[in-house]
Amino acid sequence: MTILSENWQTPLAVVSRDMRSGMDLWRMLSCTGDLFLPRRLEHWADHSLGAFVERAPGPKPPDAGYPMLSEVYRLTERGMRLRDKGLDQLTDAPSLPIAGTEAYSASVPWVLLEDGRLARL
């Protein structure tokens, strides 16, 4: 969220901007694959509580095989508040499957503590 703004950007533009500013996102994508970013942006745009991220058609057609260019995204005012202040509640974020569990899941609210232990909220 920190790299998104109120300006429309393709996922490719988000990655390019991050590479120029410190590469935190690029490092994560080197572990998850570059298509993680457009999929996660889709999750945010489709989230039922929505209104954090907006989506619009991008410069390439959706079925042309360019997922990093087929849509553009921007933060809404609510998304900017989330970016600046964090989540108010766990369900503000769309769930995210990770290694057999789910982050941001209201039904199984596990968190990883700084000392490496798992704890339930």
Side-chain angles (χ1 to χ4, degrees):
M1 283 291 195
T2 57
I3 200 118
L4 289 177
S5 71
E6 65 277 359
N7 299 319
W8 291 106
Q9 299 178 81
T10 63
L12 181 61
V14 171
V15 169
S16 299
R17 186 171 157 212
D18 177 70
M19 288 178 75
R20 291 188 302 270
S21 70
M23 298 184 64
D24 291 333
L25 177 61
W26 185 249
R27 284 187 197 109
M28 185 199 69
L29 294 179
S30 69
C31 297
T32 62
D34 59 344
L35 294 182
F36 173 81
L37 180 60
R39 295 303 158 271
R40 190 64 181 153
L41 289 170
E42 286 175 8
H43 294 167
W44 277 100
D46 293 339
H47 189 43
S48 61
L49 298 178
F52 289 113
V53 175
E54 289 181 295
R55 174 179 47 213
K60 295 283 185 180
D63 297 328
Y66 298 95
M68 297 287 275
L69 295 170
S70 62
E71 294 176 322
V72 292
Y73 298 88
R74 70 177 177 186
L75 288 178
T76 63
E77 190 172 310
R78 187 174 178 210
M80 286 183 263
R81 278 194 310 275
L82 173 72
R83 177 192 63 196
D84 298 339
K85 300 199 186 298
L87 295 171
D88 288 329
Q89 56 188 5
L90 195 59
T91 55
D92 283 348
S95 63
L96 175 63
I98 300 175
T101 189
E102 250 182 76
Y104 308 108
S105 171
S107 63
V108 187
W110 289 94
V111 295
L112 182 63
L113 301 175
E114 287 184 21
D115 65 7
R117 291 179 299 132
L118 283 175
R120 196 166 191 163
L121 292 176

